[in-house]
Amino acid sequence: MSNNCFHCLESVPPGFSATVVIDDSAKPMCCIGCQTVAETIVSQGMTDYYKFRTVTAGKVEQLVPEQLELIKSYDNEDIQDEFIALNGDISEVLLTVEGITCAACAWLIEKQLLNMPAVKLVDVNTSTNRAMIQWRKEALPLSEIIKSLLEIGYKAYPFQADLEASQKQLLAKAYIRRLGVAGLMTMQVMMFAFAMYFGMFSGMEESFEQYFRWISLILASPVILYSAMPFLTNAINGLKAKQLNMDIPVSLAIFGAYGASSYATLMAVGEVYFESICMFTFLLLLGKYLEFRARLKASEFTANLQKLLPLTARTLDENGHEHIIAAKKLKLNDRVLIKAGETIPADGIIFAGSTTVDESMMTGEHLPVNKYIDHHVFAGTVNHDGAIEILINKIGQNTLLNQIIKLQHSALATRPKLVEITDKVAQWFVACLLIFASITAISWYQIDPEHAFWITIAVLVATCPCALSLAIPTALTCAVATLTRKGVLIKQSHVLETLPQLTRFAFDKTGTLTQGRFSLDAVDVLVDSLSKNRILALAAQLESYSEHPIATAFNEFTPAQRDLTNIKIHPGLGITGEDDNYHYAIGKSGWFDSKKTNAQATFYIDQQPVANFYFVDEVKSNATLLISSLQQQGLTCHMLTGDASNAGQQIARKLKLDSFKLGCLPEDKQNEVKLWSSQGEIVAMVGDGVNDSPVFNSAHLSIAMETGADISKNTADVVLLNSDLAAIDHLLKISKKTRRIIKQNLALSLLYNGSILPLAALGLVAPWMAVIGMSASSIIVISNSLRLLKL
Amino acid sequence: MSVIYILVPIAILFVLIAIGVFFWAVRGEQFSDLNKQGHSILFEDDKEQHKKSND
């Protein structure tokens, strides 16, 4: 333990020694970052954090000046419009905070920010990783708040709630309020109902019974008129759309029984069913709320979108002076300077400089693309290593990025949908119910007109589809909880119903079937004087200064001691460095006028090539297993990739895929999937890039990788948190099991409804029997669903 | 037994107060993050203490 950092619990690297005195004893630290953070925490008197945290903090990264500049840019008034709400002289902002792991973090953040007098209110939500802050903006710029969070080790950026997310939040609160009212009131109504049950057996004064009925009516009214309202509105909306949904029999039972019971109370005749309908409303709301919350959590997780586009841009005026302006204020033909590591703010043409650009978010391919004068660069892609000046030629909605997003939105409207089981069952259930109720009413009207109305109401209450309506949401909630535990986030309710019906899987290549990063495949040493290991160590040392994706392939060879100096990065070429004797370089083949080969990187000593390196993007270890398992289950597997090279062909052959298509644009992927679904196939798309997000909305089901672009995770129905392909197999298994449980639940509840129906029709069901029957059947269904939690 | 004509309305009044408190708690975001609220009792408010130690 003593060798681990007290702050982040990572091991302390040899040669680094630093301690911070926490609660009177010196604790080891692994890096300057952790040390500063721990010191801040101690000096602010917040060591309680270490006492009560349940999860360790992440390793603290040191900030680079560019990041500080970015934080400063949040103070720009033009940008602030988008995420700061003004309320008098109090501003309110929602920040997404990275690294919140447990309740102790929330406390630490709240305490740190409230130490500043200008901050009025902080509310940290540990499940969404967001902090709501209210403060006086004139007294304290936003950048200071973000900086003070950095001091205690949390990275924060403004969160822009989209309309959908904020509506969901409101809906969640409304659910809780309705649930609270229904719960509290149902308890009271039950209490009086029990008094009346006893009165039925042992006799009760007429005046008391009438009094209890009135009290029950008063207590039940908020439950029915407030808590149960969504059922009625859903039913009416369904009818307007000429669809019979589950809410129709539900509202028929609730509001029919409520009306009849109120009438009975007013007129002092017949029976009252207040307790049944209150209990029913509460159970149903609970089931619906739990299902809603499971999905809300999943969508909140992916809603913390890092902005795809930068907020600011550096424009150059005629005299070559730099001005930092809000990126949305860019105009056509503006000249913009983009430094290394920055994100390009709008589409444009390079007119000065050369660089390599990481276009992986567009194409899914991680290898940077070389860009020279007159080349196009696209908004949202990241400039790798050189500074360039571009002339803006497309802004706003016309940029390639927004074209892709538009494609995705338009696909959503025409998304293929399967009929959900609930709707199918509801349709014939409603029909049967109405027929049966009217038969009962008509026949009893012939026999005993006085009782006909009350017996019909008893039929409505007895057939009240409580267990039936709980059958599906409870099973889905339990399955979603199990999957979340296994690292699979389910964001849409249809997922588990669609899965068992799939006939086709389509995969993206890079990052989905493959690792999405390069590993060393072969080293070709061209001289005898140096060993392969020595070359690798030197190359790795140079590459450790590079952010090029190929550089990560050398990580495992990086020596502990670095002795090279004068490291220089040459955009589009490679990296050079020196020691006392030699000049070293690693970069593209053909550098320094050497002979060009097809090696992906070459190592040079004194400008002479000494070794060639070849890399592959390795196929994920469990991809083969998944594909063969899917094929055994009768599903066909296909690959749609943006990569046009023959690497795709090799992988398709290696994995024995049924078909593959190379060089696909986002539209091509979409068209392919649309073609399949028009042929009656049910298609799932698995991908990770921005370029996959349009096709996600064309497929019946979409699965994104956690390592993928934020926008694709936000669009997808399912997110695989550990990007593990084997999870798809689990997903299929659990969805099949869920389907079985749903069928059992439906059978059980129909059995209950079916057996109590004749009794009710014969006028043999008293209100207390209805309550017991309904609760018992609901509990059986819920217990059956709970079995899904044990998977 | 006629006392219940007074006691029951009083009980209902209490229920209404409970619902009022519940609505207030929902508006105060107390139900948006159950994890945090459960832990909040553990932390001492030692603001005074560290102010002194800083002096």
Side-chain angles (χ1 to χ4, degrees):
Chain A
M1 201 53 197
S2 63
N3 263 340
N4 287 354
C5 174
F6 187 74
H7 183 76
C8 68
L9 293 199
E10 280 185 29
S11 58
V12 177
F16 185 87
S17 97
T19 54
V20 174
V21 179
I22 296 169
D23 288 339
D24 299 328
S25 68
K27 308 284 186 191
M29 293 289 147
C30 68
C31 58
I32 308 273
C34 287
Q35 190 191 0
T36 5
V37 167
E39 272 166 0
T40 316
I41 291 176
V42 172
S43 70
Q44 301 284 330
M46 303 191 290
T47 49
D48 265 6
Y49 165 73
Y50 290 112
K51 232 184 272 173
F52 297 116
R53 64 177 178 180
T54 48
V55 183
T56 60
K59 197 178 167 83
V60 181
E61 288 167 33
Q62 287 285 75
L63 270 196
V64 288
E66 282 87 45
Q67 280 169 301
L68 282 174
E69 205 172 307
L70 177 76
I71 292 169
K72 269 261 184 281
S73 73
Y74 291 137
D75 290 336
N76 187 320
E77 294 277 339
D78 291 333
I79 297 171
Q80 285 189 342
D81 291 351
E82 288 182 28
F83 48 81
I84 291 187
L86 266 179
N87 190 0
D89 60 341
I90 299 289
S91 308
E92 185 181 313
V93 71
L94 204 57
L95 295 181
T96 299
V97 186
E98 281 177 14
I100 297 183
T101 47
C102 66
C105 294
W107 175 81
L108 192 63
I109 290 169
E110 287 178 7
K111 209 155 164 58
Q112 167 82 353
L113 293 183
L114 288 173
N115 269 339
M116 295 184 279
V119 178
K120 291 285 162 227
L121 181 86
V122 185
D123 182 58
V124 179
N125 189 322
T126 56
S127 59
T128 56
N129 290 359
R130 277 173 226 154
M132 192 270 289
I133 299 161
Q134 287 181 358
W135 86 111
R136 278 182 293 116
K137 206 167 79 179
E138 320 81 82
L140 184 75
L142 181 61
S143 60
E144 288 300 315
I145 292 181
I146 295 178
K147 257 192 235 161
S148 86
L149 285 177
L150 277 170
E151 279 167 22
I152 50 169
Y154 300 97
K155 260 190 216 166
Y157 45 90
F159 173 78
Q160 269 174 290
D162 58 5
L163 206 60
E164 200 193 333
S166 55
Q167 273 170 348
K168 273 188 181 163
Q169 284 300 336
L170 286 181
L171 200 58
K173 276 194 180 174
Y175 257 124
I176 295 175
R177 276 198 297 268
R178 291 204 157 93
L179 205 55
V181 169
L184 279 167
M185 289 305 192
T186 304
M187 284 185 236
Q188 312 304 315
V189 175
M190 277 319 273
M191 188 169 73
F192 291 104
F194 267 86
M196 286 193 278
Y197 297 158
F198 287 122
M200 266 186 352
F201 294 114
S202 55
M204 185 189 248
E205 273 178 49
E206 183 87 357
S207 58
F208 275 142
E209 197 185 341
Q210 197 51 33
Y211 178 58
F212 283 166
R213 281 188 172 198
W214 271 102
I215 297 286
S216 303
L217 169 63
I218 293 169
L219 290 171
S221 295
V223 181
I224 308 307
L225 300 180
Y226 175 65
S227 299
M229 252 332 165
F231 298 119
L232 189 65
T233 34
N234 275 352
I236 292 172
N237 288 343
L239 283 178
K240 272 186 193 155
K242 299 209 170 88
Q243 275 171 345
L244 294 176
N245 56 28
M246 212 53 179
D247 287 312
I248 294 173
V250 168
S251 342
L252 214 56
I254 293 179
F255 289 90
Y258 177 70
S261 303
S262 309
Y263 174 77
T265 308
L266 285 170
M267 297 294 157
V269 290
E271 303 270 20
V272 292
Y273 294 94
F274 291 121
E275 75 280 22
S276 306
I277 50 176
C278 285
M279 176 90 91
F280 178 38
T281 307
F282 178 67
L283 283 177
L284 264 190
L285 267 180
L286 192 64
K288 283 207 167 187
Y289 172 64
L290 289 178
E291 193 203 356
F292 172 79
R293 208 182 66 148
R295 275 186 289 124
L296 182 73
K297 268 192 151 172
S299 59
E300 271 174 349
F301 180 83
T302 50
N304 287 336
L305 279 184
Q306 274 270 24
K307 296 273 305 174
L308 287 169
L309 293 180
L311 291 166
T312 53
R314 270 196 200 87
T315 50
L316 297 170
D317 59 20
E318 291 89 29
N319 307 324
H321 290 301
E322 282 180 34
H323 299 278
I324 293 186
I325 63 161
K328 61 175 180 180
K329 297 241 158 139
L330 280 176
K331 292 182 299 290
L332 284 180
N333 296 323
D334 271 356
R335 294 201 301 164
V336 177
L337 172 71
I338 299 149
K339 293 189 179 169
E342 289 182 340
T343 307
I344 295 166
D347 288 7
I349 298 169
I350 300 179
F351 71 87
S354 70
T355 184
T356 56
V357 174
D358 175 5
E359 293 189 340
S360 64
M361 54 93 59
M362 293 284 181
T363 59
E365 298 313 313
H366 293 251
L367 208 58
V369 185
N370 289 326
K371 297 279 183 183
Y372 306 103
I373 289 177
D374 285 344
H375 280 200
H376 279 275
V377 290
F378 303 103
T381 56
V382 181
N383 179 17
H384 242 294
D385 42 18
I388 49 171
E389 291 172 33
I390 65 169
L391 204 63
I392 303 296
N393 67 355
K394 272 174 191 156
I395 47 169
Q397 287 306 309
N398 297 321
T399 57
L400 185 63
L401 178 68
N402 276 316
Q403 293 294 328
I404 293 182
I405 292 173
K406 231 198 259 163
L407 209 58
Q408 170 204 335
H409 283 298
S410 60
L412 189 63
T414 57
R415 183 155 195 197
K417 248 183 147 178
L418 302 175
V419 185
E420 293 179 19
I421 298 187
T422 344
D423 298 336
K424 277 192 232 163
V425 174
Q427 282 178 7
W428 64 264
F429 189 87
V430 174
C432 287
L433 181 78
L434 291 177
I435 293 169
F436 218 92
S438 35
I439 292 177
T440 313
I442 292 166
S443 12
W444 273 97
Y445 196 73
Q446 313 284 330
I447 307 165
D448 184 357
E450 207 173 303
H451 281 104
F453 177 70
W454 300 109
I455 288 173
T456 314
I457 289 299
V459 167
L460 273 186
V461 175
T463 53
C464 190
C466 187
L468 194 61
S469 342
L470 286 175
I472 295 165
T474 50
L476 291 182
T477 311
C478 293
V480 167
T482 306
L483 285 166
T484 308
R485 219 171 45 230
K486 289 186 188 290
V488 182
L489 281 186
I490 308 286
K491 288 169 55 195
Q492 298 294 329
S493 56
H494 72 87
V495 169
L496 288 163
E497 286 196 40
T498 310
L499 267 163
Q501 306 177 46
L502 289 176
T503 57
R504 214 162 251 234
F505 262 91
F507 295 89
D508 174 48
K509 181 178 73 82
T510 319
T512 306
L513 287 175
T514 67
Q515 301 278 8
R517 58 189 153 78
F518 295 92
S519 52
L520 205 53
D521 188 34
V523 184
D524 197 357
V525 182
L526 307 171
V527 289
D528 299 329
S529 51
L530 278 164
S531 77
K532 185 174 148 188
N533 287 346
R534 175 74 188 139
I535 290 174
L536 277 175
L538 284 167
Q541 218 184 123
L542 276 177
E543 289 284 15
S544 68
Y545 296 95
S546 164
E547 282 180 19
H548 194 283
I550 278 185
T552 56
F554 288 94
N555 275 351
E556 53 183 307
F557 306 107
T558 313
Q561 244 194 326
R562 296 178 182 186
D563 40 21
L564 296 188
T565 52
N566 201 12
I567 306 289
K568 271 193 199 131
I569 296 175
H570 305 265
L573 292 169
I575 294 191
T576 57
E578 299 167 359
D579 65 4
D580 296 340
N581 306 318
Y582 299 104
H583 172 267
Y584 303 99
I586 184 163
K588 60 188 257 179
S589 182
W591 200 4
F592 308 116
D593 302 322
S594 62
K595 199 173 147 245
K596 204 168 155 59
T597 61
N598 61 353
Q600 280 144 301
T602 304
F603 187 63
Y604 304 88
I605 295 181
D606 286 341
Q607 310 201 349
Q608 290 306 310
V610 290
N612 283 331
F613 300 101
Y614 301 88
F615 305 91
V616 280
D617 184 7
E618 262 182 273
V619 174
K620 283 189 185 168
S621 58
N622 40 25
T624 327
L625 212 64
L626 173 75
I627 303 283
S628 64
S629 154
L630 289 177
Q631 284 170 337
Q632 265 165 29
Q633 295 173 53
L635 295 153
T636 53
C637 298
H638 309 264
M639 184 170 78
L640 300 173
T641 176
D643 186 5
S645 75
N646 65 351
Q649 204 170 344
Q650 284 168 11
I651 286 166
R653 220 169 277 147
K654 192 173 164 197
L655 292 173
K656 303 198 180 68
L657 292 171
D658 296 282
S659 80
F660 60 90
K661 207 171 171 194
L662 305 176
C664 294
L665 295 172
E667 293 95 329
D668 297 336
K669 292 189 180 192
Q670 243 186 333
N671 291 336
E672 192 73 11
V673 168
K674 274 185 193 156
L675 182 74
W676 288 337
S677 44
S678 70
Q679 290 162 354
E681 302 277 357
I682 316 268
V683 190
M685 176 75 206
V686 190
D688 69 335
V690 171
N691 60 335
D692 292 320
S693 57
V695 65
F696 274 1
N697 277 340
S698 300
H700 290 88
L701 187 80
S702 50
I703 303 174
M705 301 285 155
E706 150 76 340
T707 46
D710 281 335
I711 180 170
S712 75
K713 283 188 275 179
N714 204 25
T715 325
D717 303 324
V718 181
V719 181
L720 303 183
L721 281 190
N722 32 28
S723 302
D724 180 7
L725 284 174
I728 294 179
D729 222 15
H730 280 297
L731 192 60
L732 267 176
K733 255 186 221 134
I734 289 179
S735 71
K736 280 180 183 159
K737 179 98 183 167
T738 309
R739 201 178 161 83
R740 245 193 335 271
I741 296 257
I742 286 180
K743 279 186 178 161
Q744 288 165 3
N745 280 349
L746 290 176
L748 281 170
S749 45
L750 286 176
L751 192 71
Y752 158 74
N753 283 130
S755 51
I756 199 142
L757 197 61
L759 296 177
L762 292 175
L764 297 174
V765 176
W768 62 274
M769 291 182 214
V771 171
I772 294 176
M774 198 162 70
S775 316
S777 61
S778 306
I779 288 169
I780 291 173
V781 163
I782 292 171
S783 324
N784 193 36
S785 298
L786 287 178
R787 291 198 295 145
L788 282 168
L789 282 180
K790 296 201 190 86
L791 286 179
Chain B
M1 268 303 271
S2 54
V3 71
I4 64 164
Y5 288 111
I6 302 167
L7 288 182
V8 169
I10 293 176
I12 293 180
L13 197 70
F14 277 113
V15 175
L16 289 181
I17 294 172
I19 288 182
V21 171
F22 180 72
F23 273 38
W24 168 81
V26 172
R27 207 177 44 217
E29 306 271 344
Q30 291 198 23
F31 289 87
S32 54
D33 182 9
L34 299 173
N35 184 20
K36 186 185 85 182
Q37 304 293 349
H39 279 81
S40 63
I41 195 169
L42 289 173
F43 297 102
E44 275 177 68
D45 231 7
D46 51 358
K47 232 180 214 166
E48 291 305 311
Q49 209 185 322
H50 90 256
K51 263 185 197 155
K52 273 179 214 150
S53 66
N54 277 1
D55 288 345

